[in-house]
Amino acid sequence: MQRTVVMYIEIGCFVSCLCGWILICSTMATEYWIVSESAEVVLSAGMYYSNLWMDCLADSTGVSDCRYFPSMMNLSIFLHVSRALSVVSVILGFWAAVLALIGMKCTKIGGSELINARVTFAAALTYMASGFCGIIVYSWWGEKARIEFLDPYFLEMKYELGAGLFIGWGGSCLIIGGSAVMGYFSGRESFPRRLNAKPSRPPTYMTARTRRLYMLPGSSRPTTVIVPSTYQSQGESRGSQLSTGRRETQESRSSRTDIRFPPPPRDSAV
């Protein structure tokens, strides 16, 4: 494939991954990860929503009140793992962008073509890890909200999926798709022997006749010829047939030489 086409593909993949990373970063500040509305009484109608850092309440007048989680040590393991994966996703996306800017063909910052391709391949792997970390967090939150909402024995407040989860899913899919295409094209250039290797031919036997036909003239290299057992048996049978044929011809010739013809009759008048 031409270098220009690969360059434009890398630019498109980088833009896709960068947009996905920006969407993931925006979900860190988005408050609407899970949402619950209550309208039992008109005066007490309101909306509850929550994210990684706080719980919020908005009343019917539009006034919202948010409360951060009071103690970090008192949080559940679910929140600790979700926070850790979200931060790791943002950090990996940042360093993947740095590697991609160094190794892409349009920037001309790195060294040779092979080094640039390998740096781009490392950026694709880093982007893919970032996307998977993000999609694990959003999928975990969505599954938890779904299980609690459908559980009839869950007596606490039930939440639904908010806008933050959908934004995070879209950003993670952009990162994973762009990094997969980028990794494919950069991997073909980084490891050409492994990906473009041709299958080797099966070994064949060389007979004496093929050796005489295809051997270069004047070559003094010692060659070893492996003759299968089938060819050996055929050669022996042919040799025996030739020897018997030679003996028969010799005997027929000797018998012809030993034959004596009688002299012609003489005329009595003479």
Side-chain angles (χ1 to χ4, degrees), residues 7-40:
M7 182 181 68
Y8 286 122
I9 291 174
E10 287 181 354
I11 293 173
C13 294
F14 175 72
V15 172
S16 174
C17 294
L18 185 62
C19 293
W21 179 72
I22 292 174
L23 290 177
I24 288 178
C25 291
S26 66
T27 58
M28 301 288 288
T30 303
E31 298 172 353
Y32 299 94
W33 279 45
I34 49 178
V35 181
S36 177
E37 296 182 0
S38 63
E40 297 178 357

Side-chain angles (χ1 to χ4, degrees), residues 1 20 67 91 107 160 167 210 232 246 269:
M1 188 174 292
R67 181 179 64 88
I91 293 173
T107 56
E160 298 180 4
I167 295 174
T210 56
Q232 290 180 359
R246 289 177 183 175

Side-chain angles (χ1 to χ4, degrees), residues 258-269:
D258 293 340
I259 295 174
R260 295 180 181 179
F261 296 96
R266 295 180 179 178
D267 194 1
S268 59

